[in-house]
Amino acid sequence: MNRAIIFVLVLVFAAATARAQDMRTVAAVNAPLAYMAQTLGGAGVEVVFPVPPDTDPAYWSPQPDDIQRIQQSDLILLNGAGYAGWIENQVLPRARLVDTTAAVRDRFVPSGAAEAVHRHGPEGEHSHGGGTAITTWLDPQIATAQVDAVAEAMAARWPDMAGDIAARKHALHDDIKEMDAAFRAFFDDLSERQVLASHPVYQYLDQAYLGHMTSLHWEPDQAPPPKEWAALEALLDADASPLMIWEGAPLPETAKRLADLGVEIVVLRPMGNADISTPLFKALADQVR
């Protein structure tokens, strides 16, 4: 091989190696944290979020190559509140772990009474009961604290980025305030109505804005069995204009039967596994405008 070609290949390999060594990486256990890291770090940070798009990150089980990528990241963002149970069974570098809700544990909400294990989606069997509610970022106070924790960890790790991170942090705070205003207006209109949740994932919204939401265990892609319809009918208060919040649009036959019972449907995706290139807090707000 021509010596000049060999020399060029060596230079290219050396440059690629240097870029790989200089790459700043942040791993996150869910889309909200991945979005925070990407927004705060900009083009200077690579975000590691290997959860498949059709899977709930809270119940995802990583493969060995996923674990390796996460272990090698400069920072590993945890949601806290019992989110992502897989972390309890893996050896992760403690010095690089960031518990983003450590400062706001007093705002954690119990998930409710223990519930039988059930299955939906590719994440398989799991339970929502007997612990702490996990969709913390739906509470604006907790979301703000999580942004602050991520920003602090990133600025400490990369002091040369601290100024840019601080500016972007304030922009995220503004987005959360916008989300808070949209949620407040939405739930203020529901203060006198019966509000049901198709699944127990809205506890933080209930804590922050309403205080009387009732959670069921209905899946958007599954038809509820007769006993669940009977239980719902016994629960409904027609005089309180019932409304049910769903993680995704229910089956057409489910939606029709709910409408026949006088139940209004609102879809509010918690966005635990959203596209992190989309402004997450604005997207949450847009769902209730």
Side-chain angles (χ1 to χ4, degrees):
M1 184 181 291
N2 185 289
R3 289 185 179 181
I5 295 177
I6 294 175
F7 180 70
V8 170
L9 290 175
V10 169
L11 289 179
V12 170
F13 177 77
T17 301
R19 285 195 299 270
Q21 291 174 342
D22 292 340
M23 180 60 67
R24 302 172 180 193
T25 56
V26 180
V29 298
N30 59 31
L33 294 179
Y35 170 72
M36 293 175 197
Q38 190 67 79
T39 303
L40 292 166
V45 168
E46 177 188 356
V47 175
V48 176
F49 179 55
V51 184
D54 61 345
T55 301
D56 187 339
Y59 307 103
W60 173 66
S61 296
Q63 298 301 307
D65 58 333
D66 300 321
I67 293 295
Q68 185 176 23
R69 290 180 65 201
I70 293 169
Q71 289 173 330
Q72 292 174 347
S73 297
D74 296 305
L75 293 172
I76 303 170
L77 306 180
L78 307 180
N79 190 79
Y83 194 101
W86 64 264
I87 64 177
E88 302 297 330
N89 303 315
Q90 299 295 333
V91 178
L92 299 175
R94 297 181 66 85
R96 287 181 253 159
L97 298 180
V98 181
D99 182 349
T100 62
T101 55
V104 285
R105 290 176 180 165
D106 60 323
R107 290 194 64 81
F108 284 175
V109 178
S111 61
E115 169 217 339
V117 171
H118 64 286
R119 171 185 295 272
H120 60 86
E123 60 269 19
E125 294 184 345
H126 61 273
S127 170
H128 294 268
T132 302
I134 58 177
T135 52
T136 55
W137 59 90
L138 296 180
D139 180 326
Q141 289 190 34
I142 299 180
T144 300
Q146 291 185 273
V147 167
D148 291 346
V150 176
E152 181 180 357
M154 292 176 66
R157 181 76 183 189
W158 302 298
D160 61 302
M161 297 177 62
D164 289 338
I165 289 171
R168 293 164 181 160
K169 179 183 76 171
H170 291 304
L172 279 175
H173 283 181
D174 289 341
D175 288 349
I176 293 172
K177 289 177 183 176
E178 181 181 335
M179 178 187 76
D180 181 29
F183 280 157
R184 194 167 300 282
F186 175 72
F187 283 103
D188 279 351
D189 287 343
L190 302 181
S191 60
E192 302 300 323
R193 297 181 63 179
Q194 182 181 26
V195 180
L196 309 170
S198 68
H199 222 59
V201 293
Y202 303 107
Q203 297 96 327
Y204 289 101
L205 288 178
D206 191 38
Q207 171 179 258
Y209 303 106
L210 196 62
H212 63 260
M213 191 181 299
T214 301
S215 294
L216 307 177
H217 293 95
W218 290 23
E219 308 299 341
D221 59 348
Q222 297 177 19
K227 66 177 182 180
E228 292 188 8
W229 281 110
L232 174 66
E233 292 182 29
L235 182 66
L236 290 179
D237 181 356
D239 294 332
S241 303
L243 174 146
M244 184 182 292
I245 302 175
W246 286 78
E247 295 175 276
L251 296 173
E253 55 268 32
T254 301
K256 182 181 183 306
R257 187 164 177 181
L258 287 171
D260 291 343
L261 291 171
V263 179
E264 181 183 353
I265 292 172
V266 171
V267 176
L268 175 52
R269 295 176 175 85
M271 301 186 72
N273 195 1
D275 180 354
I276 66 172
S277 66
T278 300
L280 184 134
F281 297 112
K282 289 185 177 181
L284 281 166
D286 285 344
Q287 293 185 86
V288 297
R289 286 195 173 108

